Amino acid sequence: MKIFVDTADLDEIRELASWGIVDGVTTNPTLVARSGRSFKEIIDEIFDIVDGPISLEVVSEKAEDMVKEAESLVSKISEKHRKNIAIKIPINPEGLKAVKVLSKKGIQTNVTLIFSANQALLAAKAGATFVSPFIGRLDDIGQEGMQIVEEIMEMFINYDIETEVIVASIRHPIHVIDAARIGADIATIPPGIIRKMVKHSLTDVGIEKFLKDWKKVKK
Ligand code: G3P
C-alpha cells in the first residue's frame, strides 16, 4: 500500500519524506489554512520535496470554473513536476462533469468527499485517477467507514477499474492496518498518526536497555 501524507505542513512533509515512506501528498482547503503558509508558498515548495502525486483542491462550484481553476493550478507548476499534480474535486454532478473534461485533457483527478461506494463508482466512470473515501467522518456519525472501502475495492476489482482508492480521513493507526488488509491502493495519513505508527513503548525500552548495557562493555 502506498502512503500519502495528509497535510500542507511543509516541515512535516520534508521530515517524513526523509524517512523514505512518503509516496505522495494530499491537501485540502482546511489543511492549507491550518499550515499558516500562503497557497503560493506551498505549491512552490511541495513538488520539490515529494516526487509522487500531490493533490490540490479546487474551490469553484461550477464544472466550467473547476476546469479553469484546475488548469490555472497546473500552469503554476513547473513543467518537470506537472505529471505529479492531481486536482481534488468534490463528488457531485458538477464535479463529475469537471472530472470528465480534465481526464480527457490528461489531467489527474482525485475525487474527494466520497461517502458511499456508488459515489466512487460514478467518479471512476467519469475518469477519476483517484477516489478518496472519508472513513473517519463516517465513523463519526456511527457508520462503519471501512465498509465502503471494502465495497469500492470489490467493485473496482470485479471490473478491472484502474482508478486508485485513497483511504482518507484516517484518525488512528488501526485504520491504516485495516486499509492495508483490505488491499486499498493508498492510505493518506496525517503526520501525527504516522508518528504513532512508528512508535512502540517496548521499542523505546529495548533501545534504552541496549544503550545502558553497552556502557558496561569493555571497548
Ligand atoms: O484527506 C482527507 C482528510 O484531510 C479529511 O480528514 O480528519 O478532516 O475528516 P478529516
Side-chain angles (χ1 to χ4, degrees):
M1 183 172 68
K2 283 173 270 187
I3 290 182
F4 289 2
V5 57
D6 193 28
T7 186
D9 182 325
L10 295 171
D11 294 332
E12 285 283 29
I13 297 168
R14 211 171 280 114
E15 168 63 16
L16 295 171
S18 77
W19 295 8
I21 52 109
V22 175
D23 299 300
V25 180
T26 52
T27 68
N28 62 36
T30 306
L31 295 172
V32 171
R34 197 181 293 157
S35 76
R37 312 276 287 259
S38 73
F39 193 43
K40 183 177 182 321
E41 275 179 288
I42 291 168
I43 59 178
D44 279 351
E45 284 187 47
I46 201 165
F47 289 85
D48 283 326
I49 308 172
V50 174
D51 184 17
I54 314 265
S55 291
L56 303 175
E57 190 152 345
V58 295
V59 289
S60 304
E61 293 180 73
K62 289 272 166 222
E64 208 188 328
D65 299 332
M66 288 180 193
V67 171
K68 278 192 202 138
E69 198 184 334
E71 287 178 319
S72 147
L73 280 173
V74 171
S75 73
K76 291 188 173 83
I77 311 302
S78 67
E79 294 242 358
K80 66 173 176 176
H81 291 317
R82 271 188 201 162
K83 65 176 184 353
N84 284 338
I85 189 169
I87 304 295
K88 226 172 170 188
I89 297 203
I91 177 74
N92 60 25
E94 290 302 308
L96 288 175
K97 290 180 208 167
V99 169
K100 180 188 170 203
V101 174
L102 292 171
S103 105
K104 289 240 156 64
K105 288 176 186 274
I107 297 175
Q108 297 191 100
T109 52
N110 173 359
V111 179
T112 188
L113 290 165
I114 297 268
F115 293 101
S116 77
N118 274 332
Q119 289 179 319
L121 185 61
L122 294 177
K125 291 284 294 181
T129 319
F130 304 101
V131 287
S132 290
F134 273 31
I135 53 160
R137 292 192 195 183
L138 280 171
D139 288 355
D140 288 346
I141 58 158
Q143 231 177 296
E144 181 71 59
M146 207 51 82
Q147 196 185 324
I148 72 158
V149 177
E150 278 179 38
E151 291 168 356
I152 297 167
M153 288 307 298
E154 191 181 341
M155 292 188 319
F156 285 12
I157 288 166
N158 281 348
Y159 295 103
D160 285 330
I161 291 172
E162 284 177 8
T163 304
E164 290 190 76
V165 177
I166 305 180
V167 179
S169 184
I170 282 181
R171 298 284 167 74
H172 50 71
I174 308 281
H175 274 152
V176 182
I177 294 172
D178 289 343
R181 293 186 70 188
I182 292 168
D185 302 284
I186 301 149
T188 189
I189 316 174
I193 292 169
I194 297 179
R195 288 178 191 282
K196 284 185 186 164
M197 287 164 66
V198 76
K199 197 168 166 59
H200 198 290
S201 56
L202 289 178
T203 308
D204 296 342
V205 169
I207 290 173
E208 204 183 320
K209 177 156 173 46
F210 284 154
L211 292 177
K212 208 166 133 206
D213 289 344
W214 187 244
K215 285 192 182 131
K216 298 177 197 155
V217 176
K218 263 196 176 163
K219 317 283 178 347

